[in-house]
Amino acid sequence: MAGFRNGRGGRNNNRPPQQQPQQAPYGYNNAPPSPHHPQQWPQQAPQQGGGGYGEPEYFGDPYGAQQQHHQQQQYAANTPGHTQMFSVNEDPYGDAATYDAGGGAPVPTGPRLPWKALLSGIVLRPGPTFLQMRDHAVWGPALTVTFLYGLLAIFGFDKARDEAIDAPLSMAIPMILMTGVGFVVAGLIMGAVTHTLARQLGGDGSWQPTVGLSMLIMSITDAPRLLFAMFLGGENGLVQVLGWLTWLAAGALFTAMVSRSHDLPWPKALGASAIQLVALLSLIKLGML
């Protein structure tokens, strides 16, 4: 039997040994491959504790188990109910740029308006004018108009007008100039308060346009009342009615300006202008100044 198995006996001594066909893995077709469709074996995942493809499991690969454990951790991290850990300096979202509110300089919404178009726009086109000038400082028109308004405002109060008219010229001129400067300082303070409240309520506007436009609104809206008060007196009934109407108009313009300049809804914009409106009503409209 041993000689027969080793090829030393029998009639098959001169025949070449037949090549045994390669056995396909379990579960696949054992048909021989054709020249046009070569047989391809699908890749199998390495077994637990085994080596790479084609190696028996009992050889053992110290790196195969680590790789499989790493793949299992990644799979578990991406399944619902699991979280994936990242290092402190690692960005899990790649190089995507994050939004930085207020990080860059604001982009102007339009060119700067000349002073004539600015003054007429506040009265005739308040919304587009405030939106276009939200990123432009208006110190020149604001300081000039407010100072001129302060020079005439002293004649809108009965007692102050009588004192200025009866006083000598050397005393009347400094009194009028000080009134003009006082209105400029008051306008700066009230505009700064309005800007601060707007920022506290979530606004993102700049302080220079807010303060300058608030000074212009304060002066322009009170001009009709001041014009009649210079001739009729501050206690006249028509002057009082005009004072209330122009105060409501000032509230609407303040709300529109803060809303456009700070991107706030109108309730918050009105709340940011509340202190300045109360100050104007008490000091100027009702003649308490």
Side-chain angles (χ1 to χ4, degrees):
M1 295 297 292
F4 178 77
R5 290 180 181 178
N6 293 330
R8 292 193 296 267
R11 295 179 299 177
N12 296 328
N13 292 335
N14 297 327
R15 294 183 181 180
Q18 296 181 357
Q19 185 179 1
Q20 297 294 331
Q22 186 177 0
Q23 185 177 1
Y26 177 77
Y28 297 95
N29 190 7
N30 200 16
S34 62
H36 299 285
H37 299 282
Q39 187 172 1
Q40 297 179 356
W41 307 114
Q43 296 181 358
Q44 297 180 357
Q47 301 294 328
Q48 179 69 24
Y53 175 77
E55 295 181 2
E57 185 178 359
Y58 50 83
F59 279 140
D61 186 3
Y63 301 100
Q66 296 179 2
Q67 182 179 5
Q68 184 177 6
H69 180 66
H70 180 67
Q71 293 177 356
Q72 291 178 355
Q73 287 183 346
Q74 290 184 347
Y75 175 76
N78 295 326
T79 54
H82 296 78
T83 57
Q84 186 173 0
M85 294 183 297
F86 299 95
S87 61
V88 177
N89 298 325
E90 183 180 0
D91 186 8
Y93 301 102
D95 298 332
T98 56
Y99 174 73
D100 186 11
V107 180
T109 56
R112 183 192 302 271
L113 294 175
W115 68 272
K116 292 182 180 180
L118 175 61
L119 299 181
S120 62
I122 292 177
V123 179
L124 302 177
R125 304 176 304 276
T129 300
F130 294 145
L131 183 61
Q132 185 172 351
M133 297 299 293
R134 60 166 293 173
D135 300 320
H136 299 287
V138 291
W139 291 122
L143 296 176
T144 303
V145 172
T146 306
F147 181 73
L148 294 177
Y149 167 78
L151 295 179
L152 300 176
I154 193 173
F155 299 100
F157 305 98
D158 296 338
K159 185 179 180 180
R161 182 181 61 223
D162 295 339
E163 292 178 356
I165 293 175
D166 295 339
L169 189 62
S170 59
M171 294 181 60
I173 293 178
M175 185 185 301
I176 295 174
L177 293 177
M178 289 179 61
T179 305
V181 174
F183 270 89
V184 171
V185 174
L188 290 172
I189 294 175
M190 289 187 290
V193 171
T194 300
H195 169 74
T196 303
L197 291 177
R199 294 302 294 264
Q200 292 294 328
L201 294 176
D204 58 354
S206 303
W207 73 274
Q208 298 186 34
T210 304
V211 175
L213 292 174
S214 66
M215 295 173 65
L216 289 175
I217 293 173
M218 178 190 70
S219 304
I220 292 175
T221 53
D222 194 54
R225 184 205 65 84
L226 179 60
L227 180 62
F228 284 91
M230 291 174 60
F231 300 99
L232 301 178
E235 301 297 332
N236 186 271
L238 178 61
V239 175
Q240 294 291 326
V241 173
L242 285 176
W244 283 101
L245 293 178
T246 54
W247 181 75
L248 294 176
L253 291 179
F254 276 125
T255 303
M257 184 270 294
V258 175
S259 178
R260 297 298 192 279
S261 299
H262 289 268
D263 291 332
L264 289 175
W266 72 266
K268 291 186 177 181
L270 180 59
S273 309
I275 295 180
Q276 188 168 6
L277 286 172
V278 172
L280 292 177
L281 178 64
S282 304
L283 301 178
I284 300 176
K285 306 296 183 179
L286 299 181
M288 296 181 181
L289 184 63

